[in-house]
Amino acid sequence: MPMTEAGRDEGARTVTVSRAAAELELKRGEFGLAVHLGIIRVDVPQAGGRARVRREEIDRLKSQDGFPETLRERVCTVGTAEGARLLGISPVRFTRLARAGCVTPVAFYLNRYRAVVWLYLAQELGGLAARSPELLVGTSPPWMRSRLDAGTDCRARNWRSRRIERLLILAEDPWARAAVVAEALDPVQLAEVVDDPYERSYFGRIRPEPAFGQRGSAAGREAMAQLMLADEPDEILWRRVTLGMELDSARELRPAPRPGEERWPGQVGEPVGVMSGESEASAEPAVPVGPMGSAGPTGPGLASAERPESVTQEGGGQGGWQGGEDGGGGGTPGLLARLRLRRTGGRRRPRQAAGSRGNPFATETRARHSLHHADQGSNR
């Protein structure tokens, strides 16, 4: 089947996430949450690119009873005030329940004061009221009071654990699973577990992304990165052990790509950064030198030990430019090079006339004149 027909057939069987959200009558945030919770299945190309939704998946969700209200109820989120109203308690008591770990946030956003506002699934709050009604009335149990008196706040940790668990379920590639766990460790902890900078750099490229890509403000992305870091000693130890096991499984499958080995998504047959006509040595990407594995800026003093050895040129130094001055790299020498070859070793270069300094036409005229006399001398 021709490539154009195959692409047209694939486009007919799948739609973009924006089109799927519109057909399912969901907002972008609701659709992204539905994908994260596993309510909506999406196809992520292995060669890279944006996720797409199959037409069969959209038809399956549309055929459910009560569509679209039932689908919206499954991804409906509420804040503290709305959650307290649903449970019939005060916002202060709801906050105490959340801090003690009785309810787990599913998302968050930053308000205008850049404070974290946690969001909870409305259906889970209803389950809490049916499962533990004693938490909503009367005095708090002793274990809850001891946690709160110690200043414990389980909201960030519970959200982080929930997010990592969901991403591990959605990730199939072992390297992607290791990248998900690595996101919970700070640069120092990560460098202690993963000492290879190429593997740390690979984590940032293979880590699963949201359905609509990385969006939001810079402050929101920074808050996300901070909230993803484990801050309790027991959690840090658990993430380190889990990362070690996931990393062992990934290394057994395949090693992390090295410069010149990895391919860009969608490029078949060409290594990273190597265009047609380029050598692999000249197109080597920057060596990741930071603890987070991100590729740092290239410079004369960065990662000199990881750079390939320079090739010894015949009749010259290592890695030096051996071509002629006319820009040729090894063909016929240029005009000035031929003139210098015809000069004797003891003859000095004639002094440039004062009136012709900086004049390119005078320089070219003298070059032609010298070449003419040199040719006459050779014919005698």
Side-chain angles (χ1 to χ4, degrees):
M1 181 181 294
M3 191 64 183
T4 55
E5 296 182 4
R8 191 180 302 110
D9 182 62
E10 180 67 20
R13 290 186 292 107
T14 61
V15 298
T16 62
V17 291
S18 301
R19 176 70 178 274
E23 293 190 15
L24 295 176
E25 301 182 24
L26 295 176
K27 299 178 182 179
R28 298 174 69 94
E30 295 174 340
F31 185 88
L33 182 58
V35 173
H36 179 70
L37 296 176
I39 301 174
I40 301 177
R41 296 187 295 265
V42 297
D43 293 343
V44 181
Q46 295 183 355
R50 293 295 180 86
R52 298 180 66 88
V53 184
R54 292 185 176 273
R55 177 61 61 180
E56 293 83 356
E57 180 69 8
I58 298 178
D59 296 339
R60 180 185 68 85
L61 294 171
K62 283 186 173 181
S63 62
Q64 295 179 354
D65 297 336
F67 175 83
E69 286 76 12
T70 55
L71 181 59
R72 290 175 180 171
E73 291 177 358
R74 299 175 66 182
V75 295
C76 178
T77 57
V78 295
T80 300
E82 184 66 17
R85 189 188 64 82
L86 291 177
L87 296 178
I89 58 178
S90 66
V92 175
R93 191 180 187 97
F94 183 89
T95 303
R96 290 173 59 87
L97 291 174
R99 290 173 62 92
C102 299
V103 290
T104 301
V106 71
F108 74 92
Y109 70 92
L110 298 182
N111 59 11
R112 58 180 179 177
Y113 305 107
R114 293 193 175 184
V116 176
V117 179
W118 296 106
L119 299 176
Y120 309 85
L121 286 175
Q123 285 189 345
E124 291 186 355
L125 297 182
L128 174 66
R131 183 176 62 255
S132 303
E134 68 279 0
L135 296 177
L136 307 181
V137 295
T139 59
S140 301
W143 64 266
M144 182 175 174
R145 290 198 304 268
S146 61
R147 282 189 181 182
L148 297 177
D149 293 342
T152 303
D153 191 351
C154 300
R155 290 176 294 183
R157 179 170 180 170
N158 289 348
W159 168 83
R160 182 166 52 246
S161 300
R162 180 177 195 164
R163 184 173 186 271
I164 291 176
E165 290 175 3
R166 287 303 312 170
L167 291 177
L168 289 177
I169 294 175
L170 298 176
E172 298 179 358
D173 185 78
W175 281 103
R177 294 175 56 87
V180 170
V181 182
E183 196 176 3
L185 297 177
D186 60 29
V188 177
Q189 298 284 345
L190 181 60
E192 291 178 357
V193 180
V194 187
D195 56 354
D196 191 343
Y198 292 106
E199 292 180 344
R200 298 197 301 267
S201 178
Y202 191 43
F203 287 160
R205 298 192 299 272
I206 201 173
R207 185 176 295 119
E209 292 188 358
F212 289 97
Q214 295 292 343
R215 295 181 177 270
S217 62
R221 292 191 295 269
E222 182 179 356
M224 169 75 77
Q226 292 295 327
L227 291 173
M228 277 300 300
L229 296 179
D231 52 4
E232 296 291 338
D234 60 331
E235 185 185 5
I236 293 175
L237 178 60
W238 171 247
R239 299 303 177 193
R240 288 171 63 107
V241 173
T242 306
L243 176 58
M245 295 187 297
E246 295 290 351
L247 192 60
D248 291 341
S249 301
R251 287 169 176 170
E252 292 178 359
L253 178 65
R254 67 179 186 274
R258 292 300 191 265
E261 298 177 355
E262 188 184 4
R263 307 179 189 278
W264 286 109
Q267 274 190 338
V268 179
E270 290 189 1
V272 168
V274 179
M275 306 298 291
S276 57
E278 270 188 19
S279 64
E280 292 187 6
S282 62
E284 181 184 3
V287 177
V289 296
M292 280 296 290
S294 58
T298 57
L302 292 181
S304 58
E306 301 292 342
R307 296 178 181 232
E309 298 181 359
S310 53
V311 181
T312 304
Q313 302 287 341
E314 182 178 355
Q318 292 185 349
W321 177 256
Q322 302 296 327
E325 291 188 5
D326 61 340
T332 304
L335 174 62
L336 298 181
R338 293 200 302 270
L339 291 177
R340 277 199 293 270
L341 291 175
R342 292 178 181 274
R343 294 196 187 103
T344 59
R347 183 180 301 178
R348 298 181 60 184
R349 183 175 181 179
R351 182 174 297 178
Q352 188 176 6
S356 62
R357 290 177 181 176
N359 189 349
F361 299 100
T363 304
E364 183 179 0
T365 303
R366 286 198 310 276
R368 292 179 179 176
H369 184 68
S370 300
L371 180 60
H372 175 67
H373 282 287
D375 292 339
Q376 286 183 352
S378 62
N379 294 331
R380 288 178 183 176

